[in-house]
Amino acid sequence: MIDLDTDDGVRDAFKTVARWYGPNPTEVGDDENVVVLPRTVPAPARRRALVGSAAAAVVLVAAVALALVAGGGNRSIAAANGDWSPMAESPLDARFAPVTLWTGSELLVWGGHDASGTELSDGAAYDPDLNTWRTMAPMPFVYERREGVGVGEDGGSMTHPSPGAWIDGKGVFVLAGGEPSSWQVVSYDPDKDLWDVLDQATFTSRPDDTLAPVTGTATVQVPYAAVEWQGDLLVFGWESERHEFGWSTFDVDARQWGPFNGLPGSGVLYGTTGPAHVTVVDGKYLVWVANRYFAGSDTPAGYSVDLTGGQVTPVERLERSMRVDIADLSDNGTIVGLTGDDDELRRFAARLDPRTGTWIPVRPPPSGPTDDRVFGELVDMDDATAFVGGLDISGMTTGGLRSEAAELVLGDDGRWHRLPDSPVDLSRVGATVLWTGDRLLVWGGATTTDAGPVNLPVEPLADGAVYSFG
């Protein structure tokens, strides 16, 4: 197993991906699975940066890809015939991995960190109708998203999840609290430009490694993800005494927690989950898929919970291979990732049937390889699913790696359709990527350079673009 937290692990990672060859940019248009549509915007100049961040080592993939999974008809193909436009200049400094949320009329962007790893505490809201930004009020709390060293330095680093949901006219977020084993629930009211701390949870470790509450009444001890469910905040996470994953609901108005609903036997997946992949599919099924699991085990890939009926269905393993790394899971159950062993990896994509816990194979994106840690994001776009982000490392010198920047949409005809070029370079990771219902918004993140044997995302960005299709 490759350990990306060490220098040797980084070298092993690049030896692995050097054995893989993506489509040649000069030949991809001749691929029978690729349809090149007219381009409407000139390609931007490539951004350049320094080298760093061991955590990003395997992420060598592409700028933007769209994959259709089910339904949509001609509209899914038409998704590749839209137009990009640049965002207005933001009042925020360049940053990556900010906390973001769509309110229904504005994109909230706040926090994140710069290349040194410094936490940023300011924020701004973007109105896509007016193409304007406004600054947000200062935050009256301490939070910590990232542990470790700066982006361009050696050593490990970790980004805490900061999930959010739009509930009753407020953005509600779950944040690491800046102290060990602590986190908090905060809200932002865009009408009043007002922040509020709704709950503070702090725990201490017992000799048996279980957690004991010190402050707060939270029934989830280690949060992994949060979604809106029937007007409440549903928080998915870990309960150490029960040794189970599960969820609790938080009443935002009453500031009260419901009981913990555990998934019996789920403790066998502890330590193999990696980044959390939790969503609600079809407005009914709470789906959690673990990450970086290995063959030789009968444990499930995760669980699908019918929140209305209470039935719990194990999710079957995606691949019976040595290794499965999941890049992302969308709100419609689409998943993409990397499978194989440490010597030969291949891309995959599938769509989950949450009722049965089974997967329907989908043609994978034709560019890669991929890695879940700092790869792109899957965003539902009505009848299509956007796969946005990643890095184009076509200039990498080690191993002769070729990686086409994938700007594609998979239509009902089973073929990939190329998107028009963006007015900004979308070869980036840690960016804000969000679908508003009629526009795809991309802002910020970090990019890299074509120079040197190791190309990693170290230069934060402050630009963005808007994509619309008819």
Side-chain angles (χ1 to χ4, degrees), residues 20 33 53 62 96 118 134 163 184 213 227 257 279 284 288-289 307-308 313 337 373 429 441:
W20 181 93
N33 294 318
S53 182
F96 65 100
T118 301
R134 67 171 179 85
Q184 55 201 329
V227 295
W257 288 93
T279 189
K284 178 180 179 180
W288 166 52
V289 181
L307 293 173
T308 58
T313 303
R373 276 151 283 209
V429 296
L441 309 181

Side-chain angles (χ1 to χ4, degrees), residues 30 36 89 105 119 127 195 218 233 263 273 294 310 312 321 335 337 339 345 380 393-394 398 438 454:
D30 297 328
V36 180
E89 183 178 354
S105 60
E119 300 284 352
D127 184 333
W195 291 92
L233 186 71
L263 297 170
T273 59
F294 300 87
V312 177
S321 59
I335 202 162
T339 185
L345 303 173
D380 292 334
I393 313 295
S394 57
T398 300
D438 58 4
V454 181

Side-chain angles (χ1 to χ4, degrees), residues 59-427:
V59 184
L60 306 176
V61 190
V64 178
L66 293 186
L68 173 79
V69 178
N74 292 332
R75 179 172 169 81
S76 64
I77 299 175
N81 285 319
D83 295 309
W84 286 99
S85 59
M87 277 188 183
E89 183 178 354
S90 168
L92 300 176
D93 293 333
R95 67 195 63 202
F96 65 100
V99 186
T100 61
L101 186 69
W102 175 247
T103 70
S105 60
E106 288 184 319
L107 168 66
L108 305 182
V109 180
W110 60 276
H113 31 267
D114 60 17
S116 69
T118 301
E119 300 284 352
L120 304 174
S121 59
D122 57 341
Y126 174 73
D127 184 333
D129 288 336
L130 302 177
N131 192 27
T132 58
W133 291 83
R134 67 171 179 85
T135 57
M136 295 166 59
M139 303 153 203
F141 50 81
V142 175
Y143 83 107
E144 180 182 80
R145 291 206 66 203
R146 191 168 186 273
E147 294 176 345
V149 299
V151 180
E153 302 172 18
D154 292 333
S157 63
M158 182 181 79
T159 298
H160 295 288
S162 297
W166 181 248
I167 299 176
D168 196 23
K170 297 178 181 178
V172 183
F173 306 93
V174 177
L175 308 174
E179 298 178 7
S181 301
S182 71
W183 53 281
Q184 55 201 329
V185 181
V186 304
S187 70
Y188 174 74
D189 186 332
D191 291 336
K192 299 179 181 178
D193 192 24
L194 181 65
W195 291 92
D196 193 9
V197 178
L198 305 181
D199 191 41
Q200 176 74 50
T202 305
F203 300 88
T204 185
S205 296
R206 299 188 179 105
D208 61 357
D209 290 332
T210 61
L211 297 175
V214 177
T215 64
T217 59
T219 48
V220 173
Q221 294 179 335
V222 182
Y224 279 67
V227 295
E228 185 275 337
W229 171 249
Q230 295 186 343
D232 289 334
L233 186 71
L234 187 154
V235 179
F236 182 90
W238 176 253
E239 214 286 345
S240 62
E241 292 183 278
R242 297 173 55 155
H243 199 68
E244 290 178 346
F245 290 95
W247 73 96
S248 299
T249 57
F250 179 71
D251 187 321
V252 173
D253 292 330
R255 306 190 182 193
Q256 292 181 346
W257 288 93
F260 181 81
N261 302 277
L263 297 170
S266 59
V268 298
L269 294 177
Y270 187 77
T272 66
T273 59
H277 300 291
V278 180
T279 189
V280 174
V281 178
D282 296 335
K284 178 180 179 180
Y285 297 96
L286 177 67
V287 173
W288 166 52
V289 181
N291 195 24
R292 289 198 291 273
Y293 54 79
F294 300 87
S297 172
D298 294 328
T299 58
Y303 296 89
S304 175
V305 181
D306 185 336
L307 293 173
T308 58
Q311 295 88 351
V312 177
T313 303
V315 173
E316 70 177 4
R317 293 258 169 161
L318 280 153
E319 298 275 351
R320 293 290 177 180
S321 59
M322 285 297 296
R323 164 183 171 186
V324 176
D325 286 332
I326 298 168
D328 207 356
L329 171 69
S330 78
D331 291 342
N332 67 7
T334 308
I335 202 162
V336 297
L338 190 69
T339 185
D341 54 40
D342 287 341
D343 293 324
E344 184 177 357
L345 303 173
R346 66 183 184 277
R347 299 175 305 282
F348 72 86
R351 171 75 182 274
L352 177 69
D353 180 346
R355 181 181 58 86
T356 62
T358 57
W359 297 97
I360 302 168
V362 176
R363 188 187 300 273
S367 290
T370 69
D371 186 275
D372 65 283
R373 276 151 283 209
V374 275
F375 193 50
E377 296 186 38
L378 285 168
V379 181
D380 292 334
M381 294 172 62
D382 296 338
D383 301 315
T385 299
F387 193 16
V388 181
L391 294 175
D392 174 14
I393 313 295
S394 57
M396 182 178 173
T397 58
T398 300
L401 179 67
R402 296 176 296 171
S403 179
E404 160 101 6
E407 300 174 357
L408 310 166
V409 59
L410 180 61
D412 282 347
D413 58 356
R415 305 177 71 185
W416 290 90
H417 300 264
R418 188 182 298 278
L419 287 171
D421 290 328
S422 166
V424 300
D425 186 358
L426 294 176
S427 296

